[in-house]
Amino acid sequence: MTEPHIAIPLREKKTLATPRLTWRQVVVGLVLLLAFWAVLLVVFFANDFIGARPLKAGNVSPVDIRAPRRISYISNIRTERAREQAASRIADVYTQPDRSIALQQLRTAQDIANVLTNIRHSSSLTFEEKRRQVEEIELVPFSPEAVDTILQLNESEWQRVVGEVQRILDQLYRRGVREDQVEARRREIGSQISTTMSNTESQVIEEWVAALLVPNSFLDVEATEKARENARQSVQPVEVRLEQGQSIVRAGEVVQPEHVEALEALGLQSSTPSRQQIASTALLLGLLVLVVGLYTAQLHPYTWQQPRYLFAYLSILTGAVVLASLFFDSESALVYLVPLAAGIMVLAGVLSIDLALVASLVLTVLVFDMTRSYALSIYTLLGSSVGALAMWQLDRLQGFVRAGFLVGLTNVATLLIFALRDTSLNESLSLVSHLGAALGNGLLSAAITLASFYLLGQFLGVTTFLQLWELSRPNHPLLRELLLTAPGTYHHSIVVGNLAERAADAIGADSLLVRVAAYYHDIGKTKNPIFFVENQTGTVNPHDTLDDPWESANIIISHVTDGIKIARKHRLPRRIIDLIAQHHGTTKVGYFYRVAVQEYGEENVDPADFSYPGPRPQSVEAAILMLADSVEAFARAEKPATVEAIDDIVCTVIAQKLEEGQLVDTHLTLQDLEQIRQAFIQTLMSIYHPRIKYPKPAPRQDFITFTAATISEAPTPEPEGAHAVSSH
């Protein structure tokens, strides 16, 4: 299965064989579609289907509403508010101070005092050893100043300090230390210390007590809640009386929960849809869901093979519908700012443009059914469709800005069209605000798309151009490591990237993906760089010292598996890892295989020992990378000087890969291979073009004679200048 990606052209997708769906995949897809249908029904029920919608808290009332009759009712909202206010006035209830905790901490203080006394009285320890032992007491992390004071106090002073610690701890615990009072109690320690204590003694006492101070009074949740519940129950239900004609909510006023409650009590909020309306809406939604399901199953079966694709598709479409239901019942310019196009643009970016266009059509139908507004429906259709089309082969960050402006300009044009027909929009102030919202809609949609692009791409396992663009930067840690560890491989990878990118452009494949994959396809060589010829600069070939074709072949082959491990460790995208694994396919390390056959006989050599693990290239991009890698290596070894020689190299490589069956899974056509051949030739010509032969430089002795004569004719420099000449 070819992974969906923003730069995969639709032409390539059509060449792939349609994979068969398993029963499990069909069932999962049907469950997701059914859930989507159910959610849409809930959204439409919440909006009361067709006709006037009930007012909701936070909405702006379009008209004055008065009570049609006298009524008296119990206000649950006001009652609950009064009860919560009564409960909030009840303070937290804490347990009585736990004396056992106090006794435990007092015993701990005495144990620490005994340890410190033993250290003080030890005659076998030096002063520094005593300091170190005191500092190792974990329960009380004394400061260096406090440690010195402890060791320097005389016995009577020491006993006073110990007694003061016990007294203050006992006093604080008798008062009670609540969970939220520990820091406050620690700040009070200094004021509890006897004034007869010196500053240094006070520091020891304060640090000692602060370290042993823990809560001994805890929040009694049950008692607190019981007290608050009693306070709630003590509040009587609040009764509200409305007289006939009394104003409930005025036009332009923000609707409050109390207004909604009053309208419900008067029966003014009820607009239960009829059975016919329910049936017709359910049937409409069912048909739309059926269209989506059939389209994705027939033309994009990967969305069923990977349920997260279908889930993301339906979730984004559902989110757009919910967003429309929340804001499209307003009469303000805010309606035209709702970024429905963002969801469609995200779908176009991470899945495919045609799926996004289908979602745009479905969204348009649903918007019309919710609003009965022809203008809003066309506004939604044109803006979201242009947004989807603007995501075609997006490979630059500036493309998001361009897409946003295109959506905004489309929105503005659509509004101007309807402004010419609708006189209510002809007022200059209203029209300007609506046009500003329409333009802002496009920019907001682009911003949301950019923000969610990377996250959704990670969730779906789709390689986005943002990831590829980041990986293509030369300062990426892996590329820097490749340059420093294996400079020859680095240069080889850059040339392969140029070859592959031009070939991909020629046949409409993902040129950014294949170029970035080329940069990283040999990162496994950083483990043993010297064993690869491009990194051997005049040194002895280490394979000669091995004298074991099996071991040499294993080292060469392992650069693929090592590269996969390194790529996974650095969290490279899955498509990059796939191309690393496939760039040699299942070909053999021919040189060492032939050496083994010559030395041990063909019957004693297993070709599998000299073959790459594969798999064979599974995509057009993987095939291009394989061919570019082989062509560059062949050309670097042969150094062709003519176009014919270059063409011979390219044709030889392509024919060899075809003969070995390495390209059978890529769906490349003969026309594609011809275009790839031409692209390789043009790129290699720019590298191995004929060069002008420059005249040989003068012999070194002539240069030395000329230099000596020139210096002898120069004026004698000052002493400072003489140093400068010698340095030069």
Side-chain angles (χ1 to χ4, degrees), residues 374-412:
Y374 178 70
L376 273 179
S377 302
I378 298 299
Y379 179 85
T380 301
L381 174 64
L382 295 180
S384 58
S385 298
V386 169
L389 295 172
M391 299 297 289
W392 173 255
Q393 291 189 337
L394 191 66
D395 60 357
R396 294 289 186 273
L397 286 175
Q398 296 89 334
F400 284 97
V401 179
R402 182 198 64 191
F405 270 113
L406 287 176
V407 173
L409 292 176
T410 302
N411 292 339
V412 168

Side-chain angles (χ1 to χ4, degrees), residues 402-678:
R402 182 198 64 191
F405 270 113
L406 287 176
V407 173
L409 292 176
T410 302
N411 292 339
V412 168
T414 306
L415 269 186
L416 288 175
I417 292 172
F418 286 99
L420 297 175
R421 301 181 180 185
D422 187 357
T423 56
S424 63
L425 288 177
N426 286 337
E427 298 179 8
S428 58
L429 184 59
S430 173
L431 182 59
V432 169
S433 64
H434 283 64
L435 293 179
L439 183 60
N441 180 308
L443 300 179
L444 181 60
S445 296
I448 294 174
T449 303
L450 177 60
S452 58
F453 206 57
Y454 180 80
L455 295 178
L456 189 59
Q458 291 280 52
F459 170 72
L460 296 179
V462 176
T463 306
T464 65
F465 88 88
L466 292 177
Q467 296 169 285
L468 297 177
W469 181 75
E470 182 67 25
L471 290 172
S472 68
R473 300 175 63 181
N475 61 351
H476 189 279
L478 265 182
L479 291 183
R480 289 178 61 85
E481 181 180 356
L482 183 64
L483 174 62
L484 297 175
T485 307
T489 300
Y490 177 84
H491 179 265
H492 160 73
S493 300
I494 297 299
V495 177
V496 171
N498 293 335
L499 283 167
E501 181 180 31
R502 188 160 185 174
D505 283 333
I507 66 171
D510 191 339
S511 58
L512 179 60
L513 171 66
V514 75
R515 175 167 64 87
V516 175
Y519 291 167
Y520 293 89
H521 78 287
D522 275 344
I523 55 174
K525 292 183 180 180
T526 57
K527 190 171 181 180
N528 295 297
I530 197 62
F531 283 88
F532 298 90
V533 65
E534 67 266 23
N535 299 312
Q536 297 169 4
T537 55
T539 60
V540 177
N541 191 330
H543 291 287
D544 296 337
T545 61
L546 290 178
D547 196 24
D548 184 349
W550 275 270
E551 185 174 355
S552 293
N554 183 60
I555 293 174
I556 298 299
I557 292 172
S558 65
H559 88 271
V560 173
T561 54
D562 290 339
I564 294 173
K565 293 176 183 178
I566 294 172
R568 287 173 177 167
K569 178 182 177 182
H570 287 78
R571 299 176 181 269
L572 296 190
R574 184 172 63 83
R575 296 197 75 197
I576 298 292
I577 297 175
D578 289 344
L579 266 63
I580 293 174
Q582 298 167 22
H583 81 275
H584 279 297
T586 56
T587 58
K588 290 194 293 288
V589 183
Y591 175 79
F592 292 110
Y593 175 72
R594 289 190 296 272
V595 170
V597 168
Q598 291 172 2
E599 292 184 5
Y600 300 97
E602 187 173 0
E603 67 279 1
N604 298 318
V605 178
D606 184 359
D609 295 338
F610 295 85
S611 299
Y612 286 95
R616 293 178 303 194
Q618 302 295 302
S619 65
V620 172
E621 289 77 16
I624 292 174
L625 179 59
M626 168 183 276
L627 295 173
D629 185 33
S630 299
V631 165
E632 198 284 329
F634 199 167
R636 179 163 32 85
E638 296 293 327
K639 293 182 174 55
T642 64
V643 176
E644 290 75 15
I646 292 174
D647 190 11
D648 184 59
I649 289 173
V650 175
C651 290
T652 300
V653 169
I654 294 176
Q656 180 184 7
K657 301 306 179 187
L658 284 172
E659 182 180 354
E660 294 174 352
Q662 296 298 316
L663 307 181
V664 296
D665 297 328
T666 63
H667 303 279
L668 280 170
T669 65
L670 292 177
Q671 181 182 2
D672 291 335
L673 291 175
E674 174 60 21
Q675 291 174 328
I676 291 172
R677 182 182 75 88
Q678 294 292 342

Side-chain angles (χ1 to χ4, degrees), residues 75-90 228-239 258:
S75 173
N76 293 327
I77 293 176
R78 289 182 171 86
T79 300
E80 187 61 26
R81 184 180 299 158
R83 287 174 176 173
E84 289 302 320
Q85 289 175 350
S88 65
R89 290 193 287 268
I90 302 299
R228 289 175 178 169
E229 184 59 30
N230 291 336
R232 292 190 187 95
Q233 296 302 325
S234 65
V235 176
Q236 296 300 316
V238 178
E239 183 179 8
E258 296 91 335

Side-chain angles (χ1 to χ4, degrees), residues 113-150:
N114 294 337
V115 171
L116 292 174
T117 300
N118 291 335
I119 295 173
R120 282 168 45 84
H121 292 166
S122 176
S123 59
S124 62
L125 299 175
T126 65
F127 187 80
E128 288 302 323
E129 291 173 337
K130 290 179 180 181
R131 279 179 55 87
R132 186 162 56 253
Q133 290 193 11
V134 173
E135 291 173 347
E136 290 176 354
I137 298 176
E138 296 181 356
L139 292 177
V140 184
F142 289 109
S143 65
E145 296 80 6
V147 172
D148 291 340
T149 302
I150 290 171

